[in-house]
Amino acid sequence: MDSIAAAAGNCRCSRVVYVGNIPFKAEEKEVRDACELIGPVLSFNLAADADTGKRKGYAFVEYADDATAQSACRNLHGHRLLNRELRVGLAERAGAARRRRRGDHEPVGMEDAIHAASLVNDRGRLVVVSSVTRHLAGASRHELREALETFETCGPENCKVLTEYVPGLDIAMEMVQRLLDMAAADEAAGEAKRKKRASACPPPDDHGAKLMKLEDDGKATPVSAGVACV
């Protein structure tokens, strides 16, 4: 078996999944119930703005094990909720916390491409999966977004015809969407961490926050004692 196909088949991923494209009108219970169609949910976090309480359209769902999380990625992805199709991908991948964060114009890399391949529910065409994986590993997020936007501008009916007559196009587009969902999950997780650090940073002390610094000419100059939190 091809090494890339083998890696995709044996890929062990997080038990936390990212659920996107959630209708803003959907109740929290409706979203959770949909997730529980796959298996018991250990934790559920429906993202909302801390100031306004407005829903952001995505959630993080923790399952009991990796297998259930991967099942959610395969079977819950595309599930219709209030006339919108949910987008489901793994929130974290093995080694994701240790790898360097890539920019929009840098290649997504083989690691992410293999993880996307592991979510493709088509083991009958491993040669095609391997070929597409190699190609997408060298594409940037910006290029992936452009490719998906170009494809979707054809309209649902034309897209269906194209995937029927262009070999491997359906797999390529599914993997592109998976990679973009993974990128969105990374960005959401990064934003959550930044907000957590910001909330942990104590506000500057207005009382007694000024020190007196003596300059060479003997004049005293007030200096803020606040320390930046980075």
Side-chain angles (χ1 to χ4, degrees), residues 1-8 126-127 130-131 134:
M1 182 185 294
D2 183 280
S3 60
I4 292 178
L126 289 177
V127 174
S130 297
S131 177
R134 289 191 179 91

Side-chain angles (χ1 to χ4, degrees), residues 131-192:
S131 177
V132 172
T133 301
R134 289 191 179 91
H135 177 74
L136 294 183
S140 67
R141 293 178 180 178
H142 176 74
E143 290 170 330
L144 294 177
R145 290 191 188 97
E146 285 191 333
L148 186 61
E149 289 171 2
T150 301
F151 179 69
E152 290 180 340
T153 55
C154 297
E157 291 301 321
N158 289 332
C159 287
K160 183 178 179 181
V161 172
L162 284 171
T163 55
E164 289 176 353
Y165 287 94
V166 179
L169 181 60
D170 55 338
I171 289 178
M173 288 300 102
E174 182 179 352
M175 287 182 61
V176 166
Q177 184 63 71
R178 296 291 189 178
L179 284 165
L180 291 176
D181 287 343
M182 287 158 60
D186 280 348
E187 291 169 2
E191 180 64 22

Side-chain angles (χ1 to χ4, degrees), residues 110-124:
M110 186 59 75
E111 180 187 349
D112 279 8
I114 286 176
H115 279 281
S118 74
L119 304 176
V120 174
N121 191 19
D122 192 340
R123 294 299 169 208

Side-chain angles (χ1 to χ4, degrees), residues 64-135:
D65 50 47
D66 292 353
T68 307
Q70 291 188 48
S71 176
C73 293
R74 293 192 302 270
N75 301 305
L76 194 59
H77 183 75
H79 176 79
R80 297 191 71 82
L81 183 64
L82 300 184
N83 294 322
R84 295 188 73 174
E85 292 187 356
L86 298 178
R87 293 176 179 173
V88 182
L90 294 164
E92 298 178 5
R93 276 110 38 222
R98 296 187 296 273
R99 66 182 172 81
R100 179 176 63 86
R101 186 174 297 278
R102 294 183 174 90
D104 262 11
H105 295 275
E106 295 181 79
V108 297
M110 186 59 75
E111 180 187 349
D112 279 8
I114 286 176
H115 279 281
S118 74
L119 304 176
V120 174
N121 191 19
D122 192 340
R123 294 299 169 208
R125 294 187 288 172
L126 289 177
V127 174
V128 177
V129 171
S130 297
S131 177
V132 172
T133 301
R134 289 191 179 91
H135 177 74

